[in-house]
């Protein structure tokens, strides 16, 4: 298990919650990273608000943030 801040829907910061989730496995084109630091950038805030809904379709709950620093634990087969 790991901790993640998840979006439960679109809106302001109140749609975010801390949750215990299963650790993911790397798909064929993925990396699994032990995250040491992360950030939320302006695009993440627009996604959370729903401003990008017509471009980026999400399955909820969703974990925002692609800006990370850490150690690669697993590399996908491709």
């Amino acid at each position: 298990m790991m901790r993640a801040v998840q979006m439960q829907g679109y809106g302001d910061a109140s749609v975010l919650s801390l949750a215990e989730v299963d650790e993911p496995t790397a798909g064929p084109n993925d990396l699994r990273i032990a995250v040491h630091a992360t950030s939320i950038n302006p695009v993440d805030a627009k996604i959370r608000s729903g401003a990008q809904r017509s471009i980026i379709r999400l399955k909820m709950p969703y974990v925002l943030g692609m800006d990370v620093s850490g150690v690669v634990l697993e590399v996908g087969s491709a």
Side-chain angles (χ1 to χ4, degrees):
M1 297 293 284
M2 63 178 226
R3 288 179 294 164
V5 174
Q6 297 179 324
M7 256 176 74
Q8 302 301 322
Y10 296 107
D12 61 15
S14 68
V15 302
L16 301 174
S17 62
L18 183 62
E20 289 284 329
V21 299
D22 290 332
E23 288 191 24
T25 56
N29 298 304
D30 298 331
L31 294 174
R32 188 166 65 98
I33 301 170
V35 177
H36 294 187
T38 187
S39 68
I40 301 294
N41 64 45
V43 173
D44 294 318
K46 289 180 182 181
I47 292 169
R48 186 206 68 221
S49 73
Q52 303 295 316
R53 225 182 299 202
S54 63
I55 301 166
I56 303 170
R57 306 219 182 241
L58 304 176
K59 260 179 93 170
M60 301 297 173
Y62 182 77
V63 178
L64 284 169
M66 296 294 175
D67 299 339
V68 300
S69 174
V71 176
V72 174
L73 299 175
E74 183 180 1
V75 177
S77 60

